[in-house]
Amino acid sequence: MDPIAARPPLPRVTDGSPGPVAALDGVSVRRFTTGQVILDDVSWSVRPGEHWALLGANGAGKTTVLRLIGAVVHPTSGTVEVLGHRLGRVDVRELRARIGLVSSSQKVSLDATAHTVVLTGATGTVQPLWGKYDAAVRERASLLLAELECKDLADRPFGVCSGGQRARVLIARALMSDPALLLLDEPFNALDLPSREDLIDTMHRLAAGRPELATITVTHHLEELSPAIGHALLLKEGRVRAQGPVAEVLTGARMSDCFGRPVEVARLDGRWLARSGRTLPA
């Protein structure tokens, strides 16, 4: 039986609408060795089809939030539910298989072709498990490469792909498990301007073509947000400073509060711009 087809549907709330794909309730995380507070009383939920930006200065707790939702770590206090399952009451290995993750620091074989890298998304492994990939799985990998507009990279070693090409291949890999939730941890890291714009276009098309897919994108730059991003969460020193629709959250006042310096924000044709609000000497 196809493991994707066999998965249970997302839980639904009492009004019949889909329940959240991820929900944090009063979550705190403290470093065991030092007692340092990394997250403090964070409550947040993400529903199917929503696209969130997760913003904050270095050390704000963004990566820890992704690790919680990705079922990599557990909270010190509070509850985390992902795809209807509460952490601590579910086999996290099975849960991780249903969550797509894209990060520039992911370990994949540089010698493997792009098609092989995508195939490993079906097994969640660094090296391919050839016995697990039947004709249908191989065809799915090819279709995902085509969907991400990198079909011509199928036989190219991953290590010689450009940064932007690697990012799209990794997104195709993350989609192999048909996840309900896609986590993107600074996917634009080290990309040049054309590669960044190509990836933004890719994310916009992906949102349009997969209406039930929810995404969370961690970034430092508003310019990297696609027009599909409809919600934002601002973190500062482990606490939520603002969350909600982008028009209400990505304002100069809220961004200035989050980053601790004057920030000016503008929006043009669905794209965001931000710069320092400080006045430079003549």
Side-chain angles (χ1 to χ4, degrees):
M1 180 181 294
D2 183 348
I4 293 175
R7 290 174 183 166
L10 291 174
R12 295 183 177 270
V13 292
T14 54
D15 64 1
S17 62
V21 292
L24 280 62
D25 186 9
V27 166
S28 295
V29 174
R30 291 175 174 80
R31 197 178 302 279
F32 177 75
T33 54
T34 63
Q36 175 191 1
V37 177
I38 301 173
L39 292 178
D40 188 12
D41 195 26
V42 173
S43 295
W44 178 40
S45 65
V46 177
R47 291 190 173 276
E50 290 183 344
H51 302 286
W52 284 79
L54 182 51
L55 300 157
N58 289 336
K62 304 184 299 297
T63 297
T64 301
V65 169
L66 277 198
R67 285 168 62 83
L68 286 165
I69 294 175
V72 176
V73 299
H74 287 69
T76 305
S77 60
T79 61
V80 178
E81 292 194 0
V82 184
L83 305 181
H85 299 283
R86 182 173 297 186
L87 294 192
R89 301 180 181 178
V90 63
D91 185 336
V92 294
R93 294 169 299 180
E94 294 184 5
L95 193 55
R96 289 172 195 156
R98 302 181 59 186
I99 303 167
L101 172 64
V102 177
S103 170
S104 58
S105 64
Q106 277 178 284
K107 294 181 179 180
V108 298
S109 174
L110 296 179
D111 295 328
T113 66
H115 186 265
T116 298
V117 169
V118 176
L119 279 177
T120 63
T123 47
T125 56
V126 174
Q127 297 297 332
L129 302 180
W130 295 111
K132 300 287 187 180
Y133 310 139
D134 60 16
V137 173
R138 292 169 184 261
E139 177 64 15
R140 178 172 176 79
S142 296
L143 291 174
L144 285 170
L145 282 171
E147 181 181 352
L148 274 294
E149 296 192 343
C150 45
K151 184 178 180 180
D152 57 331
L153 303 177
D155 297 322
R156 184 178 301 180
F158 185 76
V160 301
C161 293
S162 70
Q165 291 168 341
R166 291 187 187 189
R168 283 183 285 155
V169 170
L170 290 177
I171 291 172
R173 179 182 186 273
L175 293 174
M176 276 296 289
S177 61
D178 195 28
L181 177 62
L182 184 61
L183 309 179
L184 301 113
D185 190 6
E186 298 189 39
F188 302 92
N189 188 32
L191 297 188
D192 60 20
L193 180 60
S195 296
R196 183 193 76 180
E197 293 301 300
D198 286 345
L199 186 54
I200 290 170
D201 290 344
T202 294
M203 295 309 303
H204 196 195
R205 290 194 304 272
L206 193 66
R210 294 172 177 261
E212 292 299 313
L213 179 67
T215 67
I216 302 172
T217 301
V218 170
T219 181
H220 288 105
H221 307 290
L222 296 192
E223 292 79 5
E224 295 174 347
L225 301 181
S226 90
I229 298 289
H231 297 79
L233 174 74
L234 302 184
L235 281 177
K236 182 177 182 179
E237 298 176 349
R239 284 182 166 271
V240 175
R241 304 298 293 191
Q243 62 176 296
V246 286
E248 300 174 10
V249 174
L250 299 184
T251 66
R254 292 190 182 278
M255 290 289 288
S256 298
D257 171 67
C258 181
F259 287 93
R261 63 180 296 165
V263 177
E264 294 182 358
V265 177
R267 194 177 191 184
L268 177 65
D269 297 330
R271 295 287 299 278
W272 294 90
L273 304 170
R275 69 181 183 89
S276 173
R278 291 179 178 175
T279 302
L280 298 178

